[in-house]
Amino acid sequence: MTLVDVSAATAVLPLPQPLRLGAMTVTRREYSAVRVTDDAGLAGHAYCLSREAPMAEIVRRLVASHAVGADADDPAATWERMLRGSAIVGRVGLVRRAIGLVDVAAWDVAAQRAGVPVWQLIGESGDPRDAMLVAAYPSADRAPREVADEVLAQAVGWKRVKISRMPDPAYMRELIGILNDELPTQTGLVVDVGFGWRDADEAIAEIRQWGDITLDWLEDPLLPEDALGCARIRRESGLPISVGDEVTDPEVLRRLVTDGNVDVLRLDVIAVGGITPARELIAWARDRGVPVSGHVYPEVTSHLGIEVETFARGGNPYDPAPTLVVGGPHFDGRVTPPTVPGLGFSLDPARFDFTHPGKD
């Protein structure tokens, strides 16, 4: 039995107000998605934030032809075909993300064919996973107290809540101080810098202005390739560090761990190339005692046995991804993966049109 079709589509959803993360300003969320079908008619799905890159076009032009005709029961072999077939322009970067989309959907097909959830097919448990809620993006037009109240209203039951950094040290000092004082004792706080500092000197100078704070970790303070800078921030600030969002090169992630520069490895399952390479990286990090936290896509990461990250379900002003998905895991402060065959979710056909190749 083989894979007979790989289709790609794009959906664009505006945000109610712009978001600021690091040097980026986000006014809308664009998502790319794939549907992979086998010759028995089973369909697997995957989606990702495109970050305004032409992901659907890359899937169609550089990846799809290498997956079509592959063994529907062997996603790892399909992944190898895609990587080798696009190696002259791929291996890392946008092509690797495109491979990741198709790989995730191929695992969805394989698990459906086997009649089991993906987590069972890859040897993980179906137990509830620890989870982190992306709770707020502070903005200059909202006082720290208002943002803190937004976070606190959602925090009960979650292992961690995350906020983004505002480039105003006094604002962050007040906001983190409130949250350190008022969050439930079992709920930790994460601050996402979004690669917002240029170097360790800038980072350390600003962190010192935040005062005496407690964080579960400081996320993506510098570009991931600056492993030495991350190590210095970790050493001089005393804060745990996590890095890995949007990283497509597994060797960057391995270097961060082997050099002892991070306390938590962040893993973007789509960006790193899909479930096939993610499984290997997760096992490798576990062997070294380094916890792994997934970057968004809870419908996929809930199958991988790692911490799951999610935005609020049922509507939030920051990421409308939950509105794209039909089915998926159960959320109640922890995240329980589905027990139905495959990944256990599909994509809203009103959002993604897979019936007109080349038309998004």
Side-chain angles (χ1 to χ4, degrees):
M1 303 296 284
T2 60
L3 303 177
V4 297
D5 182 69
V6 176
S7 300
T10 300
V12 178
L13 284 74
L15 294 176
Q17 60 185 24
L19 305 178
R20 180 71 183 267
L21 180 61
M24 301 177 293
T25 299
V26 180
T27 60
R28 66 182 197 167
R29 295 288 198 184
E30 183 182 80
Y31 304 90
S32 295
V34 298
R35 182 185 64 193
V36 174
T37 310
D38 74 355
D39 48 10
L42 292 175
H45 298 88
Y47 75 94
C48 74
L49 285 161
S50 74
R51 307 297 192 191
E52 304 298 321
M55 295 306 305
E57 183 71 6
I58 293 170
V59 168
R60 295 186 194 110
R61 297 187 62 176
L62 298 175
V63 176
S65 63
H66 305 299
V68 171
D71 185 346
D73 294 314
D74 193 349
T78 303
W79 185 88
E80 185 72 15
R81 285 173 54 133
M82 292 188 290
L83 184 74
R84 295 291 176 180
S86 62
I88 197 167
V89 292
R91 304 188 306 283
V92 297
L94 294 178
V95 177
R96 185 135 183 148
R97 295 171 71 99
I99 291 171
L101 274 172
V102 179
D103 177 79
V104 168
W107 277 99
D108 191 6
V109 170
Q112 290 180 60
R113 290 176 52 78
V116 298
V118 167
W119 57 262
Q120 185 174 339
L121 187 64
I122 66 176
E124 293 290 346
S125 80
D127 296 336
R129 320 305 196 199
D130 286 338
M132 175 166 64
L133 178 69
V134 183
Y137 284 66
S139 57
D141 61 344
R142 295 198 296 161
R145 180 73 255 179
E146 181 182 351
V147 175
D149 287 343
E150 179 186 7
V151 175
L152 293 167
Q154 306 174 77
V156 175
W158 294 93
K159 175 83 170 181
R160 274 175 266 278
V161 291
K162 184 163 80 172
I163 61 172
S164 62
R165 160 191 169 256
M166 269 278 290
D168 177 346
Y171 187 109
M172 291 300 292
R173 182 186 182 104
E174 182 177 352
L175 175 57
I176 297 173
I178 295 170
L179 293 174
N180 278 172
D181 288 342
E182 299 183 23
L183 275 170
T185 56
Q186 73 275 16
T187 302
L189 177 64
V190 170
V191 172
D192 185 1
V193 182
F195 319 131
W197 289 311
R198 290 169 296 179
D199 53 37
D201 286 339
E202 183 179 38
I204 292 164
E206 186 171 318
I207 292 167
R208 285 173 177 160
Q209 296 178 70
W210 291 356
D212 185 16
I213 62 169
T214 299
L215 299 178
D216 272 17
W217 66 70
L218 182 71
E219 187 168 297
D220 290 325
L222 305 174
L223 293 176
E225 294 76 13
D226 189 356
L228 292 179
C230 290
R232 186 178 160 213
I233 294 170
R234 180 175 182 260
R235 183 174 63 250
E236 295 189 23
S237 72
L239 295 174
I241 300 294
S242 73
V243 181
D245 289 14
E246 312 291 351
V247 171
T248 65
D249 185 349
E251 292 310 307
V252 171
L253 298 175
R254 293 179 190 275
R255 193 159 56 247
L256 287 163
V257 171
T258 55
D259 293 347
N261 299 328
V262 294
D263 300 275
V264 177
L265 186 66
R266 289 278 290 173
L267 182 67
D268 186 318
V269 65
I270 302 293
V272 83
I275 292 173
T276 298
R279 292 177 67 199
E280 180 181 343
L281 281 164
I282 291 165
W284 180 86
R286 284 173 176 165
D287 287 345
R288 286 152 183 80
V290 176
V292 180
S293 174
H295 175 229
V296 293
Y297 315 127
E299 299 83 9
V300 179
T301 56
S302 65
H303 288 266
L304 301 182
I306 60 177
E307 180 180 74
V308 177
E309 176 179 70
T310 184
F311 288 80
R313 319 309 289 181
N316 69 79
Y318 307 119
D319 189 347
T323 69
L324 306 173
V325 174
V326 179
H330 174 68
F331 299 86
D332 62 357
R334 303 190 83 196
V335 178
T336 304
T339 57
V340 298
L343 287 170
F345 78 95
S346 60
L347 296 171
D348 184 349
R351 301 288 194 183
F352 295 105
D353 182 4
F354 293 110
T355 61
H356 297 86
K359 179 181 177 182
D360 296 334

